[in-house]
Amino acid sequence: MNKRQVVPHRPIYPTPAGLITSVDAAGRPNILTLGEVFNISISRPVILGIAIRKERYSHQLISETREYVVNLPTQEIAQQVWYCGSVSGRTVDKFAGSGLTPVPAQRVRPPLIAECPVNLECKLLGVQEIGDHDLFLGEAVAQHVDEDVLDETGRIAVGKLRAFAFVNGEFWTLGQKMPRI
Amino acid sequence: MNKRQVVPHRPIYPTPAGLITSVDAAGRPNILTLGEVFNISISRPVILGIAIRKERYSHQLISETREYVVNLPTQEIAQQVWYCGSVSGRTVDKFAGSGLTPVPAQRVRPPLIAECPVNLECKLLGVQEIGDHDLFLGEAVAQHVDEDVLDETGRIAVGKLRAFAFVNGEFWTLGQKMPRI
């Protein structure tokens, strides 16, 4: 073992990319690409964290409307994930620009993204300034899962998710399930 | 698209497994396995979040000593990662039981784990109760990376990391780097 000390920068990997939908006061939807979404409270209740820079348009929208949806993407829409992270919803309609399909949610105003197999409707609990990002904490009040990725017991079959991970600035597919020895 | 509504439970994937080292007042080290570690503030400063249940021994140790190290594992030590998540440091010396190798850190008392290619020394900033877990926020005051996983420019080469992801209760290897179209 020969270790080198480096300057840390977004050091944790592999992390879950997410597409975060929100709406403005008139109901116009936006999409934010994030390189990570956090499972913080995992069951009672489920509380998801997302870290957003103050200058992002979605920071303003979610602060005002206090609702968002976390949509987990597949490899098939990786290009749209990059696109939604490269333009601002202040000037672009990202649903139109990406071709992604909005679907009405059940308990919040922001839409689900049809192409994402997992969608979590969240109601904002609070926002905290933590270093260079603000941490938004939201309770997941509803989860939707594509029937296509569920197994016969109703559990998510990971191999069907076509998921990918964000790793050191790159997207990587998942490989194989590791045996639990 | 045919979506089913389900009860959410730790719904975000794929997440980064971590081995968290801490020490008791006498300097005896412990190892905690987590299924996720959070990049919250990504550069100025780097602040990492870890969510720990109150009853875990590491919750007590880190609350008292206010230091921890986040060690990112490889596929080669997956069995040790499961092991460290299946026994309690209150009754077991997990370094002895796992065969993992402690290495002195530079700025904190908990050791690095030699077998992990990336190690982040953290000083605790604060703890917050969020649902069924407490969120520990720590500033990364030093990062160590194995020379073996760095490319010629000093950047981490993801393909050399032998990383894995935690997905829906399973460990999955990384597959391929996806082209950025």
Side-chain angles (χ1 to χ4, degrees), chain A residues 88-138:
Chain A
S88 172
R90 284 196 183 86
T91 53
V92 174
D93 175 341
K94 295 196 205 179
F95 272 103
S98 66
L100 293 171
T101 311
V103 178
Q106 301 236 330
R107 299 194 48 194
V108 301
R109 285 159 293 174
L112 317 180
I113 295 176
E115 290 80 1
C116 292
V118 174
N119 320 89
L120 290 137
E121 303 184 23
C122 295
K123 289 190 178 274
L124 185 65
L125 300 173
V127 184
Q128 305 172 19
E129 199 170 302
I130 297 178
D132 53 25
H133 280 65
D134 285 354
L135 177 64
F136 289 67
L137 295 171

Side-chain angles (χ1 to χ4, degrees), chain A residues 1-16 36-48 51 53 70 72 75 78-79 82 103 106 112-114 116-120 128 130-133 135 137 140 142-147 150 154-156 158-159 161 163-165 167-178 180-181, chain B residues 1-16 36-48 51 53 70 72 75 78-79 82 103 106 112-114 116-120 128 130-133 135 137 140 142-147 150 154-156 158-159 161 163-165 167-178 180-181:
Chain A
M1 188 197 67
N2 193 5
K3 300 224 182 228
R4 189 190 303 181
Q5 204 165 331
V6 302
V7 176
H9 178 88
R10 197 195 276 248
I12 301 302
Y13 61 83
T15 58
E36 44 243 311
V37 180
F38 316 129
N39 281 315
I40 298 181
S41 177
I42 67 169
S43 61
R44 285 188 296 261
V46 172
I47 298 175
L48 304 180
R53 288 187 192 275
V70 175
L72 299 178
Q75 295 166 31
Q79 192 177 351
W82 285 120
V103 178
Q106 301 236 330
L112 317 180
I113 295 176
C116 292
V118 174
N119 320 89
L120 290 137
Q128 305 172 19
I130 297 178
D132 53 25
H133 280 65
L135 177 64
L137 295 171
Q143 179 175 6
H144 309 268
V145 180
D146 280 1
E147 296 277 0
L150 294 171
R155 193 167 174 276
I156 287 176
V158 176
L161 284 171
F164 61 87
V167 197
N168 205 26
E170 303 166 352
F171 287 165
W172 282 68
T173 64
L174 295 184
Q176 298 181 312
K177 179 179 172 178
M178 295 168 62
R180 185 162 176 173
I181 301 163
Chain B
M1 187 198 70
N2 192 5
K3 299 219 183 234
R4 188 191 303 181
Q5 205 166 331
V6 302
V7 176
H9 177 89
R10 198 196 276 249
I12 302 302
Y13 61 81
T15 59
E36 44 242 311
V37 180
F38 315 128
N39 282 314
I40 298 180
S41 176
I42 68 170
S43 60
R44 284 188 297 262
V46 173
I47 299 175
L48 303 181
R53 288 187 191 274
V70 175
L72 299 178
Q75 295 166 31
Q79 191 177 352
W82 285 120
V103 178
Q106 301 235 331
L112 317 180
I113 295 175
C116 291
V118 173
N119 321 87
L120 291 136
Q128 305 172 19
I130 297 178
D132 53 25
H133 280 66
L135 177 64
L137 295 171
Q143 178 175 5
H144 308 269
V145 180
D146 281 1
E147 296 277 2
L150 295 171
R155 193 167 175 278
I156 287 176
V158 176
L161 283 172
F164 61 86
V167 197
N168 205 26
E170 303 167 351
F171 287 165
W172 282 69
T173 64
L174 295 184
Q176 297 182 313
K177 179 179 173 177
M178 295 168 63
R180 185 163 175 170
I181 302 163

Side-chain angles (χ1 to χ4, degrees), chain B residues 3-64:
Chain B
K3 299 219 183 234
R4 188 191 303 181
Q5 205 166 331
V6 302
V7 176
H9 177 89
R10 198 196 276 249
I12 302 302
Y13 61 81
T15 59
L19 293 173
I20 314 301
T21 45
S22 56
V23 291
D24 68 9
R28 281 184 293 259
N30 189 35
I31 308 173
L32 169 70
T33 293
L34 292 179
E36 44 242 311
V37 180
F38 315 128
N39 282 314
I40 298 180
S41 176
I42 68 170
S43 60
R44 284 188 297 262
V46 173
I47 299 175
L48 303 181
I50 53 176
I52 312 178
R53 288 187 191 274
K54 281 192 206 308
E55 61 267 28
R56 302 297 292 270
Y57 184 47
S58 292
H59 186 294
Q60 174 190 330
L61 295 184
I62 299 172
S63 297
E64 287 171 3

